[in-house]
Amino acid sequence: MTGSGTAHPDVDVVVVGAGQAGLAAAHHLSRRLPAGGSFVVLDANDGPGGAWRHRWDSLTLGRAHRVHDLPGLPLVDPDPDQPAAQVVADYYGRYEQHYALPVRRPVRVAAVTAPEGPQGPLVVATDAGTWTTRALISATGTWDRPYWPRYPGQERFGGRQLHTHDYTSAEDFRGQRVVVVGGGTSAVQHLLEIAPVAASTTWVTRRPPQFVDRPFDAEWGREVERRVAERVRAGLPPVSVVGTTGLPLTEEYRRGIDSGVLVARPMFTEITPRGVRFADGAEVVADVILWATGFRASLDHLAPLHLREPSGGIRMADTTVVRDPRVQLVGFGPSASTLGATRAGRLAALAAVRSLTTSGTGLTRENEHQPQPQVES
């Protein structure tokens, strides 16, 4: 249900999402589409920043995963003590204005369909009307799909349960007994923030946390992408970054380990009305269970296209969906980091333009289009 019957003018490419990957793709489309070509970026948020605009205020830029530069306009000397949400929202907003990118917001995409079959156009239905396009770049990320695992007794718990998606401040946990579930960076950061104000914290993980004493540099990032890309090429669901790399053993994390805050227990077997119970029968009483259990790719809008393999994943060749080459996925699998998203945005834009020039749309071939010179990062 779109909520609006407005039919917008046809465009050559629709980009869904204005986070790192979507903006990188839009930048390259603005340079690569032939004269007369058109595209639009549809973003569900009220303002710039993508998923970053929803991060909690205490997550400063210095404590967040590194934000890599968008092409052509570097993020120069940001203040590491500023909230990441503010810094990134300001940066993305400047980027959109600098390149005059055609971002429409707030526009929430409900479904993408192919009413004329695999050779016809795609129809993008939204709460602001419909767009018809020959190519789609989906850059919706994961923030809208927090993952909540199920455990026996979960519905009987008498306290509060929330997900990282809904975390706002450590003050919300003052004086409370808190169980934090999850083995990733968010769980670690939540524990370090909450422990000084909570009555107690208990960390539980499905697998023992792997702290890695090595620099998380560009080579590390490329290795992460290679490992995740192997699964995506095989049509398997992507794994988490931490599951592939481990946790960086920073000085802050060392102090947390030494203090006992970052010492994990094996996963509990059930949730009781008063807390959680472990395999040995021991029960930890809790007022709050905080699920720092990650996110899944936000791809419900693509369900009508039936892109998934029997294994549940989406088979990809770089950013192109094998089952439907009209569709590019960025910010997904190996391009879920900001470094990978920037590179994937370029690949997706190039692939989208190639698909237009070979599908009988009448557009000029890419190598006949001479873009204006730009400074690339």
Side-chain angles (χ1 to χ4, degrees):
M1 185 173 182
T2 65
S4 170
T6 303
H8 298 276
D10 295 358
V11 292
D12 295 310
V13 186
V14 168
V15 180
V16 183
Q20 187 95 10
L23 292 180
H27 168 80
H28 289 290
L29 286 173
S30 70
R31 301 178 68 248
R32 298 288 184 172
L33 276 175
S38 61
F39 72 100
V40 66
V41 182
L42 307 179
D43 187 52
N45 290 298
D46 293 329
W52 286 95
R53 66 183 284 109
H54 304 293
R55 298 297 200 269
W56 52 99
D57 287 345
S58 59
L59 180 63
T60 61
L61 194 67
R63 300 185 71 231
H65 290 300
R66 181 183 171 189
V67 179
H68 288 268
D69 293 338
L70 284 161
L73 187 68
L75 176 60
V76 180
D77 297 328
D79 183 348
D81 296 324
Q82 287 293 306
Q86 176 187 323
V87 173
V88 178
D90 289 346
Y91 176 43
Y92 287 7
R94 290 197 312 273
Y95 194 83
E96 292 175 14
Q97 293 178 2
H98 182 79
Y99 287 108
L101 298 178
V103 181
R104 296 283 301 270
R105 63 166 62 93
V107 177
R108 184 168 292 276
V109 174
V112 181
T113 58
E116 298 180 23
Q119 303 304 317
L122 298 169
V123 176
V124 183
T126 80
D127 58 1
T130 60
W131 278 263
T132 300
T133 184
R134 288 283 178 178
L136 181 97
I137 298 176
S138 184
T140 46
T142 62
W143 185 256
D144 291 334
R145 286 202 61 196
Y147 173 61
W148 292 73
R150 301 298 303 170
Y151 280 88
Q154 198 160 358
E155 68 285 348
R156 302 199 313 267
F157 180 59
R160 181 164 62 105
Q161 298 185 63
L162 75 160
H163 191 276
T164 291
H165 181 275
D166 306 304
Y167 181 92
T168 57
S169 168
E171 280 300 314
D172 295 339
F173 304 90
R174 181 170 289 279
Q176 297 183 319
R177 297 161 294 187
V178 184
V179 172
V180 178
V181 184
T185 305
S186 293
V188 170
Q189 291 177 343
H190 292 332
L191 283 158
L192 293 175
E193 287 190 6
I194 293 169
V197 301
S200 66
T201 60
T202 302
W203 186 20
V204 294
T205 60
R206 287 194 301 115
R207 293 182 297 272
Q210 299 295 317
F211 289 95
V212 181
D213 192 5
R214 61 153 291 178
F216 278 34
D217 51 17
E219 177 55 35
W220 163 82
R222 286 188 288 271
E223 177 61 22
V224 173
E225 290 182 30
R226 281 194 294 269
R227 294 184 188 180
V228 179
E230 289 174 1
R231 292 182 59 86
V232 172
R233 281 195 297 270
L236 300 172
V239 294
S240 71
V241 170
V242 169
T244 305
T245 66
L247 294 158
L249 190 57
T250 65
E251 285 303 315
E252 182 184 25
Y253 290 4
R254 288 180 192 274
R255 291 193 296 271
I257 295 170
D258 292 342
S259 69
V261 172
L262 296 186
V263 176
R265 298 185 62 162
M267 194 66 198
F268 48 75
T269 56
E270 67 172 319
I271 300 174
T272 70
R274 300 187 332 129
V276 297
R277 180 172 290 122
F278 295 87
D280 62 1
E283 183 179 18
V284 169
V285 177
D287 302 299
V288 183
I289 301 174
L290 173 55
W291 297 90
T293 44
F295 298 80
R296 297 293 183 264
S298 182
L299 300 175
D300 289 350
H301 58 294
L302 300 179
L305 300 179
H306 306 292
L307 304 179
R308 292 193 182 276
E309 301 292 329
S311 60
I314 298 177
R315 191 183 299 274
M316 309 267 295
D318 289 330
T319 62
T320 302
V321 176
V322 172
R323 283 181 175 244
D324 193 334
R326 294 171 295 184
V327 179
Q328 307 292 319
L329 284 185
V330 291
F332 170 81
S335 62
S337 68
T338 59
L339 173 61
T342 300
R343 286 202 293 259
R346 178 180 180 276
L347 289 175
L350 295 178
V353 171
R354 281 196 300 271
S355 73
L356 295 172
T357 61
T358 58
S359 63
T361 60
L363 291 180
T364 326
R365 291 197 176 275
E366 180 193 345
N367 60 8
E368 296 174 355
H369 172 57
Q370 298 300 321
Q372 293 299 312
Q374 300 272 5
V375 177
E376 292 290 343
S377 60

